[in-house]
Amino acid sequence: MVAEIIIDSKVKTLNRIFDYEIPSDLEINIGSRVFVPFGNKKTPEEGIVIGIKEKSEYKVKKIVSVEEEKIDKTYIELAKWMSKRYICNLADSLRLMLPPGTTKKDVSKRVKTKTINLITLSKDEEEILDDIESKKIKSEKQKDVLEFIINNGTSSIDDIELFTDASKAVVSTLIKNGYLEYQEKTVERNPFIHKVDKKTSDLKLTDEQKETLESIKESGKYLIYGITGSGKTEIYMQLIERMLKENKSSIMLVPEISLTPQTVDRFLERFGEEKIAVLHSKLSIGERYDQWNKIKENKAKIIIGARSAIFAPAKDLGLIIIDEEHDESYQSEMSPRYDAKEVAEFLANKLNISLVLGSATPDLKSYYNSLNGNIKLLKLTKRANNSTLPKVYIVDLRQELANGNKSMLSKKLQEEITKNLETNKQTILFLNRRGFSTFVMCRDCGYTVKCKRCNITMTYHKNENKLKCHYCGFEQKVVTECPECHSKNIKYFGAGTQKLEDEVHNLFKDATTIRMDVDTVSKKNSHEEILNKFRNENIDILIGTQMVVKGHHFPNVTLVGVISADMNLNLGDYNANEKTFQTLTQVAGRAGRGEYEGRVIIQTYNPDNYAIEYSKIQDYDKFYNAEIELRKQLKYPPFCDIILIDMSAKNMNELELVAKKLHTYLKNRVINEKFGLLLYSPVPSPIDRIKDRYRWRMIIKCKYDERVNNLLTDSLEEFLKMKTKTARVNIEINPNNML
Ligand code: ADP
Ligand code: ZN
Ligand code: ZN
């Protein structure tokens, strides 16, 4: 028999499959990880078997060895599907299906299970006791150690030293004399920071919740559209419970940023630590490896994780839940540029199980599909614990400026903060960081400091008194004199979280504040530490970026201020309105989740924008109707797909040549084969240089079907044939971020 193998090599072709003979003494199936002789390499290369056939048309070499570890057949099919749909290397897709930390070329550097050496008896207890009795063992210390182990069982060397007077040398002697021996024990690297003692059980469901739960059957696609606090999480938990009763596993995806201990604790309290595995990027690679094993060994039947947890090797998977399904983080920005929602759909279809999406502000595409009957729509219209939705006020910043208020905080917002400080309630101030940071400009000639490598304005960081590039991390000293015109008239413009915090301190001298943004959240758990501190120490004002928006629950927060709602509107993304509406609704959902009524102040220069207007009345349906009409007219998703061909190179001429050649190739085929699609000419990207690489792009608008998929695959093959020096081409389907 012959195996078809994908080798993770740097060969510049999309997916070359190599044939190898299967030796009769090796058991090899689809999904096996094997080592094979490759090219003129001295040591065998690793590969993955993706197919098996009778014979090869070539003269083939033999597989050298096979590992125990293998990928399930379903996931091999998934990888093939992904590599086709997202036009990427099969090897890259397959890597996602392997245990974390096990893909290094150097096998000795791969993550393994962690073991410790324990000390155990190597003779019968009776025999040892006899030897002590008969004074064959005379040393008191040796006697102590042996008795300790007889009474307490296998122990660590540290415990032996701690609880007896003996040193390590005594233990060594006993090992040498054949009384004791080492025993290797596997220890799990445990990612759960603290023990959860509380135990909760199913809540009595509201009528709406009950109806939703009963509508969800073993297979099918569902969208739970439920306002913030309507009890979606409770439904998820009861669905998972149902799976446990049938001995099946569940995967629940959560946006990376809201995968906090607070979220996980709710599940730990309901189901206990044993049955749960968590997977996200803040875990160490060893912790992730152990969680992966816990899933594979079928110990953990509840998998909670960020995007890539969709590839976890769940046994008897019965349910996939995607919470906050509208969240951008479900789409990967690295190759393979997959959409976890689409991957989940593939798995749900393949395994004939149910897929449950949930959100208070569904992705326009999901909602469109639910209205078309492709997904079953389930609505939750009331808050589960009867708290009321907050009151939303819009403040027109143009008016504010006309009234002479140059502060970042409008008069209305200042008044409301004062009220909260007087009544000892908490406030959250939200500032979107994108396009909203402090930059340095010469007032005389308009020069701004830009990153040498990225052509992006550098951001001023007050604490370190430095300028930083948010794309590549490049740092430099602040400038006091303009390098262009030598003027000393340098000004700091813009408004970052640091500046906002300063303003708050100036206006409210006694207020306590805490800040959460990329600068304060870099250590492993500081995100959670900041939130805990805010809650437990009843800090007056939390100032933060995007991170404060997601799913947190603070009963004492009654006021949320949005410093500027306009952040996304000017970025030129086709989904700018949608993102704005979602963010504002999610932020508003943070206010008044306890027993007190909440207020939300939205400051904006565009009070007439419908995304902002409808977020004021928190009416998703009205927003949807307006937005879908616009998308239909302008031929944007879900009516059409947008394909972004992203090209980059270190050399400008090289890049231009690639862009032109690729465009000509596509244009000829589109015309000759009568494709009904819109192909735009290549142009420099909005950010035309990142990390010393020049960037161009080309956009296609079309229905992304098999034919277009083949065309794009061919064009990528065409590019690889160009044998360029530094150029790269990436293709993205409906990217979230068009920058
Ligand atoms: P969502 O996930 O939709 O934002 P949650 O599930 O977090 O909503 O529920 C919001 C709050 O309501 C939580 O404090 C939760 O414990 C409570 N809750 C949910 N369902 C019920 C119920 N059936 N009865 C009482 N309280 C509930
Ligand atoms: Zn100048
Ligand atoms: Zn840079």
Side-chain angles (χ1 to χ4, degrees):
M1 298 294 273
V2 169
E4 295 175 318
I5 293 176
I6 285 284
I7 292 166
D8 191 359
S9 68
K10 294 272 173 289
V11 185
K12 266 210 171 186
T13 56
L14 258 185
N15 292 311
R16 227 154 100 220
I17 297 169
F18 296 91
D19 288 355
Y20 283 91
E21 191 189 325
I22 302 176
S24 53
D25 59 329
L26 292 184
E27 172 155 349
I28 282 161
N29 320 87
I30 289 180
S32 291
R33 290 179 86 167
V34 294
F35 283 92
V36 294
F38 187 66
N40 48 14
K41 295 249 168 60
K42 282 208 186 71
T43 51
E45 286 279 300
E46 185 171 26
I48 292 167
V49 178
I50 61 156
I52 287 179
K53 57 189 180 186
E54 282 292 327
K55 53 176 181 280
S56 172
E57 52 194 291
Y58 308 103
K59 192 175 160 342
V60 295
K61 295 178 189 162
K62 269 189 190 173
I63 294 175
V64 180
S65 64
V66 59
E67 287 172 82
E68 233 175 274
E69 167 69 42
K70 73 188 265 267
I71 301 175
D72 195 90
K73 211 173 154 196
T74 306
Y75 292 85
I76 295 287
E77 281 172 50
L78 173 61
K80 285 184 181 171
W81 175 82
M82 282 173 68
S83 115
K84 176 113 186 79
R85 175 158 180 91
Y86 304 112
I87 314 172
C88 62
N89 276 322
L90 191 48
D92 289 338
S93 302
L94 286 167
R95 206 174 302 121
L96 294 165
M97 329 272 162
L98 294 171
T102 67
T103 53
K104 278 233 165 67
K105 276 253 179 300
D106 183 348
V107 178
S108 69
K109 288 206 175 119
R110 291 183 182 176
V111 178
K112 296 175 192 65
T113 37
K114 186 176 169 185
T115 55
I116 48 168
N117 274 327
L118 296 178
I119 310 294
T120 190
L121 301 178
S122 65
K123 281 188 181 179
D124 265 1
E125 255 179 58
E126 296 297 316
E127 211 178 317
I128 295 174
L129 289 172
D130 282 350
D131 285 356
I132 293 176
E133 191 85 8
S134 66
K135 298 265 161 40
K136 204 172 156 194
I137 294 171
K138 285 196 257 352
S139 148
E140 278 302 315
K141 286 190 176 168
Q142 291 187 13
K143 239 171 73 181
D144 267 6
V145 172
L146 291 169
E147 276 166 2
F148 177 79
I149 296 177
I150 288 170
N151 292 332
N152 296 287
T154 305
S155 304
S156 71
I157 190 96
D158 292 341
D159 280 352
I160 295 171
E161 276 198 292
L162 191 67
F163 294 108
T164 69
D165 288 333
S167 65
K168 287 199 175 89
V170 179
V171 175
S172 300
T173 313
L174 284 166
I175 290 171
K176 208 168 64 204
N177 295 347
Y179 288 99
L180 295 179
E181 64 187 8
Y182 285 114
Q183 188 183 63
E184 216 176 52
K185 184 174 173 263
T186 309
V187 283
E188 191 193 305
R189 285 159 283 209
N190 191 336
F192 302 114
I193 311 167
H194 50 269
K195 281 267 168 263
V196 171
D197 304 322
K198 216 165 92 189
K199 183 99 183 85
T200 63
S201 47
D202 290 2
L203 294 176
K204 191 173 171 304
L205 296 181
T206 63
D207 288 346
E208 276 188 338
Q209 283 175 317
K210 205 182 286 167
E211 212 174 294
T212 301
L213 190 71
E214 277 162 13
S215 305
I216 298 174
K217 305 276 178 337
E218 307 84 68
S219 73
K221 278 175 271 172
Y222 304 87
L223 171 64
I224 306 181
Y225 159 37
I227 59 167
T228 49
S230 58
K232 294 184 288 296
T233 312
E234 182 62 31
I235 294 174
Y236 302 154
M237 290 200 278
Q238 300 205 14
L239 283 170
I240 291 171
E241 181 72 52
R242 204 195 263 171
M243 287 300 127
L244 286 178
K245 287 204 178 103
E246 295 173 34
N247 223 2
K248 287 185 184 159
S249 332
S250 311
I251 293 178
M252 182 172 86
L253 298 188
V254 179
E256 177 85 47
I257 209 158
S258 48
L259 194 52
T260 61
Q262 203 191 345
T263 317
V264 178
D265 281 0
R266 278 180 81 178
F267 288 82
L268 290 174
E269 286 165 9
R270 185 69 57 92
F271 300 108
E273 198 178 296
E274 249 118 281
K275 294 197 204 81
I276 298 179
V278 293
L279 285 168
H280 57 86
S281 65
K282 289 242 168 110
L283 300 181
S284 72
I285 193 88
E287 284 170 344
R288 261 184 283 163
Y289 177 85
D290 286 357
Q291 292 292 300
W292 190 275
N293 274 343
K294 193 175 168 186
I295 296 163
K296 196 147 79 192
E297 287 162 9
N298 205 12
K299 287 181 195 145
K301 298 188 97 52
I302 305 167
I303 299 139
I304 305 174
R307 179 176 71 218
S308 63
I310 193 67
F311 304 111
K315 289 276 179 279
D316 296 315
L317 189 61
L319 169 71
I320 303 170
I321 297 165
I322 302 185
D323 190 28
E324 312 273 8
E325 62 92 31
H326 62 276
D327 196 90
E328 287 178 39
S329 71
Y330 291 125
Q331 209 169 2
S332 172
E333 295 193 331
M334 286 175 296
S335 184
R337 290 160 196 268
Y338 67 91
D339 180 342
K341 248 190 299 182
E342 291 178 350
V343 173
E345 208 172 316
F346 176 92
L347 283 175
N349 285 338
K350 192 101 215 152
L351 302 169
N352 201 25
I353 61 173
S354 55
L355 169 63
V356 176
L357 309 175
S359 175
T361 52
D363 180 346
L364 217 74
K365 201 167 167 184
S366 307
Y367 201 64
Y368 176 77
N369 282 331
S370 78
L371 296 181
N372 282 349
N374 295 329
I375 305 180
K376 191 163 165 42
L377 180 63
L378 305 163
K379 282 193 190 184
L380 297 173
T381 57
K382 299 186 199 72
R383 279 193 161 176
N385 58 4
N386 275 325
S387 64
T388 48
L389 282 169
K391 272 214 174 65
V392 183
Y393 305 87
I394 309 267
V395 172
D396 185 346
L397 286 176
R398 294 169 307 186
Q399 199 56 47
E400 206 68 25
L401 212 57
N403 294 342
N405 179 8
K406 287 196 185 125
S407 146
M408 288 168 84
L409 303 171
S410 62
K411 202 158 155 281
K412 171 79 180 162
L413 186 49
Q414 290 184 25
E415 282 166 14
E416 296 298 327
I417 293 174
T418 308
K419 272 189 215 159
N420 259 27
L421 291 172
E422 281 165 359
T423 52
N424 204 18
K425 294 280 178 300
Q426 291 174 286
T427 300
I428 294 177
L429 296 180
F430 168 74
L431 186 76
N432 196 312
R433 208 177 65 95
R434 290 173 68 189
F436 220 112
S437 41
T438 312
F439 62 101
V440 179
M441 192 167 99
C442 167
R443 292 193 124 176
D444 289 336
C445 78
Y447 169 86
T448 57
V449 183
K450 288 190 170 177
C451 174
K452 285 189 198 121
R453 308 164 64 194
C454 304
N455 200 23
I456 281 274
T457 311
M458 302 276 280
T459 303
Y460 175 59
H461 285 245
K462 191 178 165 215
N463 282 354
E464 297 145 276
N465 199 28
K466 264 184 195 150
L467 297 172
K468 284 189 194 177
C469 168
H470 283 174
Y471 275 79
C472 75
F474 178 76
E475 293 182 5
Q476 73 173 61
K477 279 197 291 209
V478 290
V479 288
T480 48
E481 187 188 291
C482 173
E484 297 281 309
C485 75
H486 304 288
S487 156
K488 294 229 156 63
N489 201 359
I490 301 279
K491 188 168 160 36
Y492 295 79
F493 282 93
T497 43
Q498 292 187 358
K499 187 164 175 225
L500 177 58
E501 195 175 30
D502 288 347
E503 277 211 38
V504 168
H505 283 156
N506 284 338
L507 286 164
F508 309 99
K509 298 263 175 315
D510 302 322
T512 50
T513 61
I514 190 162
R515 191 159 55 87
M516 183 154 88
D517 54 28
V518 279
D519 301 321
T520 55
V521 179
S522 45
K523 282 186 290 145
K524 189 169 165 185
N525 294 311
S526 49
H527 177 253
E528 186 60 15
E529 277 160 25
I530 292 170
L531 294 176
N532 281 340
K533 194 164 176 212
F534 175 60
R535 185 173 341 149
N536 300 339
E537 298 179 17
N538 202 29
I539 301 218
D540 294 323
I541 302 173
L542 169 65
I543 294 167
T545 55
Q546 230 64 342
M547 299 175 194
V548 301
V549 181
K550 313 283 168 94
H552 312 295
H553 189 75
F554 304 107
N556 204 31
V557 170
T558 58
L559 173 64
V560 169
V562 177
I563 302 303
S564 167
D566 311 312
M567 56 261 177
N568 282 321
L569 293 176
N570 307 322
L571 287 178
D573 291 348
Y574 73 89
N575 53 4
N577 285 318
E578 185 181 5
K579 283 191 213 166
T580 301
F581 181 83
Q582 282 164 352
T583 311
L584 293 178
T585 310
Q586 298 284 333
V587 187
R590 295 313 112 217
R593 284 174 68 103
E595 49 192 303
Y596 316 104
E597 198 192 38
R599 291 111 62 216
V600 178
I601 315 283
I602 298 175
Q603 307 189 141
T604 175
Y605 287 100
N606 299 288
D608 303 329
N609 174 284
Y610 62 89
I612 292 174
E613 266 181 4
Y614 292 137
S615 63
K616 174 180 159 65
I617 49 173
Q618 297 184 45
D619 194 327
Y620 177 82
D621 287 290
K622 281 218 173 80
F623 167 74
Y624 173 83
N625 288 333
E627 179 72 13
I628 204 83
E629 197 46 50
L630 199 70
R631 298 265 184 109
K632 201 175 189 169
Q633 281 168 16
L634 299 175
K635 291 216 168 44
Y636 279 131
F639 300 99
C640 190
D641 294 297
I642 293 187
I643 292 157
L644 182 73
I645 304 178
D646 185 37
M647 299 160 283
S648 73
K650 284 195 174 158
N651 180 302
M652 191 62 201
N653 296 334
E654 186 188 352
L655 179 59
E656 242 185 287
L657 198 66
V658 167
K660 298 235 159 91
K661 272 192 186 167
L662 213 51
H663 180 249
T664 310
Y665 173 83
L666 282 166
K667 200 166 124 194
N668 285 338
R669 285 203 51 190
V670 167
I671 293 169
N672 292 340
E673 297 169 37
K674 298 196 168 51
F675 275 91
L677 58 71
L678 213 55
L679 170 70
Y680 293 87
S681 297
V683 288
S685 306
I687 299 173
D688 57 7
R689 191 153 50 100
I690 293 183
K691 288 191 197 175
D692 280 336
R693 295 183 68 84
Y694 295 90
R695 303 170 74 223
W696 277 47
R697 62 150 59 150
M698 198 159 33
I699 287 172
I700 297 176
K701 260 186 175 179
C702 63
K703 201 85 214 151
Y704 184 43
D705 56 14
E706 174 120 21
R707 227 176 132 222
V708 176
N709 177 256
N710 288 333
L711 172 70
L712 293 172
T713 308
D714 293 348
S715 73
L716 208 55
E717 297 281 11
E718 191 66 23
F719 161 70
L720 292 170
K721 272 190 238 152
M722 291 179 204
K723 302 247 183 279
T724 58
K725 264 207 187 103
T726 68
R728 282 183 216 145
V729 174
N730 274 310
I731 298 178
E732 267 186 282
I733 318 298
N734 296 325
N736 267 319
N737 186 343
M738 301 281 284
L739 290 178

